Amino acid sequence: MNKGIKSFFLAVVFLCGSLASGCLGWAAAGYVPQEEVSAVDIGEDTVLVGGMPVGIYMETDGVLVLDTQSVEGVDGQEYNPAHNLVKSGDYIVGINQENVSAKEDLIQVLNSLTDAEVILTLRREEETLDVKLEAVEDQPNDYKLGIWVRDNVQGLGTITFLDKNSRFGALGHGIHDADTNVLMDIQEGSLYKTSIRSILKGDYGIPGSMEGLIVYNTFNRLGSIDNNMESGIYGTVDKIDELFPEQIPVQVASKEEIELGKATIRCCLEDEVKEYSVIITGVDTEPKEVNKGIILQVTDEELLEKTGGIIQGMSGSPILQNGKLVGAVTHVFVNDPTKGYGIFAETMLSQVSK
């Protein structure tokens, strides 16, 4: 293992079925976007309906702090240099007056230290501040800060729709860090082709999940992610025909149009996008959480047999009723996988260009 990596606490997490909260399953050099024009004329309140799984890769805006930990110095004593100075959820954006965008930047500076004094520039919510701490020399000329960090996240989710400007909405909930539960500030991200390889059926108290094969390279890149919000992730699709082969236009319903009763969700199992029967059992037009305005229950026997209901990876699956897009699946009830929450489609559409 690289000495620099050994001398710094790092956490790299590869997630197939779940990136964070909800039921989320997750710029190449020289890449030139392909300009494509859909054969369907999409109006202001009309979109191409999704349901297709995608691989997701996002890099954080700065380096996210997960936690701090004590370090044993060369003298055999335990030290915790970042305790009460650096907090879980902070973003490290600078070290010793040098900009930081990835954990490799931190490692490089630590490897070149000649003095234990370190000044970290942190972004804490809306505030930027400098903190001074003493790095711990655990071996001669080898320093540690005792900070666990993350600078990227990857996994699998579902596309909800594409608007007339080739802008997509997906997931229906934001990507939160699994350890800190903070909504991740992203610098950039990409969508990739994926294929579903296995499904873990959900059961009472045990959320199910789907896993896909994702190859993160230029050839498989479908588009870019530029926004991670509580209502979902948003960006631009470059390869429309590859991601939306059917190009089915639907009108987005207002939340007032949603009725209790029969509906369908559109998702992909075993590499086939299909609609499955559900019942909308509740609608809250002013929910406390933006992505919990719809309550639904899976009634489709085929879906129940394969998945047990709603599973991780279905986040973003379109909810259709009376020929319109009314919402997207966001969360599963842990104690009853046949039930879950959804977000209003009009909410996602209003956020797609922000």
Side-chain angles (χ1 to χ4, degrees):
M1 182 182 292
N2 182 282
K3 178 181 179 183
I5 296 177
K6 289 179 65 178
S7 62
F8 199 72
F9 290 116
L10 303 176
V12 181
V13 180
F14 297 91
L15 304 176
C16 294
S18 175
L19 284 176
S21 64
C23 32
L24 174 66
W26 188 91
Y31 174 71
V32 180
Q34 298 181 14
E35 294 186 4
E36 299 187 17
V37 179
S38 170
V40 179
D41 183 18
I42 306 177
E44 291 291 341
D45 62 347
T46 302
V47 297
L48 298 184
V49 67
M52 299 75 72
V54 288
I56 297 168
Y57 176 84
M58 301 195 314
E59 295 181 355
T60 60
D61 183 13
V63 177
L64 176 64
V65 174
L66 304 179
D67 203 354
T68 62
Q69 184 170 320
S70 60
V71 180
E72 182 178 342
V74 290
D75 59 1
Q77 299 296 311
E78 292 288 326
Y79 300 90
N80 196 333
H83 183 61
N84 287 335
L85 295 173
V86 179
K87 297 182 179 181
S88 174
D90 286 349
Y91 284 86
I92 301 173
V93 296
I95 180 170
N96 290 349
Q97 310 306 314
E98 296 186 29
N99 291 332
V100 167
S101 60
K103 56 181 176 282
E104 286 79 9
D105 299 333
L106 292 171
I107 293 171
Q108 183 176 353
V109 173
L110 287 174
N111 285 342
S112 62
L113 282 181
T114 58
D115 186 274
E117 185 175 284
V118 170
I119 298 177
L120 293 180
T121 302
L122 307 175
R123 186 176 68 249
R124 181 174 295 165
E125 297 180 350
E126 302 300 321
E127 182 183 6
T128 300
L129 64 155
D130 290 334
V131 297
K132 183 187 296 185
L133 52 84
E134 296 287 322
V136 177
E137 189 175 14
D138 70 324
Q139 298 180 35
N141 299 316
D142 189 3
Y143 292 91
K144 290 182 179 179
L145 296 177
I147 303 175
W148 291 90
V149 300
R150 177 176 293 130
D151 65 357
N152 65 69
V153 63
Q154 49 268 309
L156 181 150
T158 301
I159 289 286
T160 306
F161 63 81
L162 184 77
D163 76 1
K164 67 174 186 176
N165 298 313
S166 300
R167 297 280 298 174
F168 74 84
L171 306 188
H173 63 71
I175 296 177
H176 292 71
D177 177 71
D179 294 293
T180 65
N181 201 35
V182 300
L183 182 70
M184 299 185 74
D185 293 340
I186 69 165
Q187 184 176 56
E188 60 182 4
S190 295
L191 296 179
Y192 293 91
K193 296 178 187 177
T194 186
S195 57
I196 305 303
R197 294 292 174 168
S198 64
I199 293 174
L200 175 63
K201 189 174 180 179
D203 204 347
Y204 290 86
I206 306 174
S209 64
M210 60 176 68
E211 294 187 356
L213 176 64
I214 306 168
V215 180
Y216 297 100
N217 60 23
T218 302
F219 177 78
N220 287 302
R221 187 177 183 273
L222 298 169
S224 60
I225 304 167
D226 54 42
N227 216 336
N228 178 35
M229 308 172 69
E230 293 291 357
S231 61
I233 63 171
Y234 303 93
T236 302
V237 174
D238 299 319
K239 299 179 180 179
I240 298 173
D241 289 340
E242 291 190 36
L243 185 55
F244 289 82
E246 294 183 272
Q247 299 194 0
I248 302 171
V250 295
Q251 188 176 1
V252 175
S254 67
K255 55 189 176 184
E256 288 78 15
E257 293 181 75
I258 304 174
E259 303 172 353
L260 301 183
K262 293 181 179 180
T264 61
I265 60 173
R266 181 176 163 87
C267 60
C268 180
L269 303 175
E270 300 174 349
D271 290 330
E272 182 182 9
V273 179
K274 293 177 58 177
E275 289 187 26
Y276 298 94
S277 300
V278 300
I279 294 177
I280 295 176
T281 60
V283 178
D284 182 355
T285 57
E286 299 294 335
K288 293 182 180 180
E289 297 180 54
V290 67
N291 41 42
K292 292 184 177 181
I294 300 172
I295 302 176
L296 68 153
Q297 182 169 10
V298 176
T299 57
D300 193 283
E301 292 297 331
E302 180 184 357
L303 187 59
L304 290 171
E305 176 63 28
K306 290 181 178 179
T307 68
I310 299 169
I311 60 175
Q312 295 176 342
M314 285 186 183
S315 280
S317 296
I319 306 171
L320 301 164
Q321 187 181 63
N322 297 326
K324 294 185 178 182
L325 177 65
V326 300
V329 176
T330 58
H331 297 76
V332 60
F333 288 14
V334 176
N335 292 326
D336 187 352
T338 68
K339 299 178 181 179
Y341 286 108
I343 186 173
F344 299 122
E346 69 169 346
T347 299
M348 294 183 69
L349 186 60
S350 70
Q351 302 293 316
V352 70
S353 297
K354 291 188 176 181

